[in-house]
Amino acid sequence: KLSQRVFVMESTAVQTKATSNYGNGTPWMFTGRAFYQIHLVKADVARQCIPKGLNLVQAFGYTLGGMYLAHYEDSPAGKFDELVVIAGTVWNWPTSCAWAARVLVNSKEACDHGRKEVGLPSHFASFSRVSIVDKQQQEQHLFSKLWSRKKSQAGEYSKPKGKLEIEVSESNGLEIKASMESNMDHRWMGPMMRFPLPSFSGCTEFQPQLLKYSCSMDC
């Protein structure tokens, strides 16, 4: 049983809402919230997850990997959660892309589509969420409500900060835990940006060739 705690930072990856399904063809549109963590991975470890023939981008014995965690409110497969484990960065002319070593989703439709159509190493898993509030902050919050009733009624007191733990489990016993701040406010973070995200996949049983495509992301 593998257990790993990952601290991730928020990236509001939001795309145009759509109510179509995979059968309607591309472009496939996803709307939701995403968290993305990047970190260094030892090159010799990453190579075990990279297909032969692909060049690993590395420096001083390390490559750039990470994890991508998303909750989609609307997609061709409806609502579902996704966790992508990124082994490292690979190069294939004319660009380099992150390589997904494992993709976990709690939608069988999304899992089958990822395997057969997109050439992703998709697996079905269960996602569970637990909200954890710091005891000291919770007591301060109650004190604020009792002694600042006017501010409380006006909604001026701040809610206690807490963490949201997400546990992803597979039937084979693999377990990954992600912990993040759950009191994310909705302050204006800047203008909307759109940028292309080139991607590689394939080299699998269902898609033996290397697939190249681009994801357009609004955030």
Side-chain angles (χ1 to χ4, degrees):
K1 184 176 181 180
L2 175 64
S3 179
Q4 181 177 0
R5 183 176 296 275
V6 183
F7 292 89
V8 295
M9 58 184 179
E10 181 183 19
S11 171
T12 54
V14 181
Q15 296 181 330
T16 307
K17 186 175 181 180
T19 56
S20 61
N21 54 49
Y22 292 119
N24 292 338
T26 57
W28 297 310
M29 312 298 290
F30 297 78
T31 303
R33 297 176 66 86
F35 302 85
Y36 192 23
Q37 180 203 36
I38 56 176
H39 58 81
L40 296 176
V41 179
K42 289 185 177 180
D44 56 348
V45 175
R47 282 196 191 94
Q48 300 176 23
C49 306
I50 304 297
K52 294 181 179 179
L54 293 180
N55 296 319
L56 185 67
V57 178
Q58 60 175 308
F60 305 104
Y62 288 87
T63 184
L64 192 62
M67 287 192 177
Y68 171 83
L69 176 65
H71 172 72
Y72 302 116
E73 290 290 341
D74 186 79
S75 78
K79 288 186 179 181
F80 73 94
D81 299 288
E82 179 181 45
L83 175 64
V84 181
V85 181
I86 301 171
T89 304
V90 298
W91 167 263
N92 187 277
W93 193 89
T95 187
S96 59
C97 296
W99 187 265
R102 200 170 191 84
V103 178
L104 304 177
V105 294
N106 56 358
S107 165
K108 291 185 177 180
E109 182 181 359
C111 182
D112 291 341
H113 179 266
R115 283 185 178 183
K116 298 178 181 179
E117 302 297 331
V118 193
L120 292 171
S122 299
H123 299 269
F124 185 80
S126 62
F127 287 67
S128 60
R129 294 174 175 80
V130 178
S131 296
I132 301 175
V133 178
D134 182 81
K135 184 177 181 180
Q136 182 178 0
Q137 292 178 349
Q138 190 174 26
E139 291 175 351
Q140 292 175 352
H141 176 62
L142 293 174
F143 180 84
S144 175
K145 290 183 68 176
L146 289 172
W147 297 98
S148 304
R149 184 166 298 179
K150 291 184 179 180
K151 290 185 178 181
S152 174
Q153 292 175 352
E156 296 180 9
Y157 65 89
S158 60
K159 294 183 178 180
K161 296 181 179 180
K163 289 184 178 180
L164 177 65
E165 284 198 349
I166 300 179
E167 184 176 298
V168 186
S169 304
E170 289 189 76
S171 58
N172 61 4
L174 176 66
E175 180 180 292
I176 300 176
K177 289 184 178 180
S179 178
M180 66 204 71
E181 296 293 333
S182 61
N183 64 316
M184 298 171 187
D185 54 34
H186 298 280
R187 292 177 297 175
W188 187 70
M189 302 297 292
M192 179 72 71
M193 295 185 297
R194 172 173 294 182
F195 57 93
L197 184 65
S199 302
F200 294 157
S201 62
C203 302
T204 63
E205 175 186 358
F206 295 102
Q207 293 288 350
Q209 72 277 17
L210 178 66
L211 302 181
K212 301 180 182 181
Y213 50 94
S214 179
C215 300
S216 179
M217 183 174 292
D218 295 348
C219 62

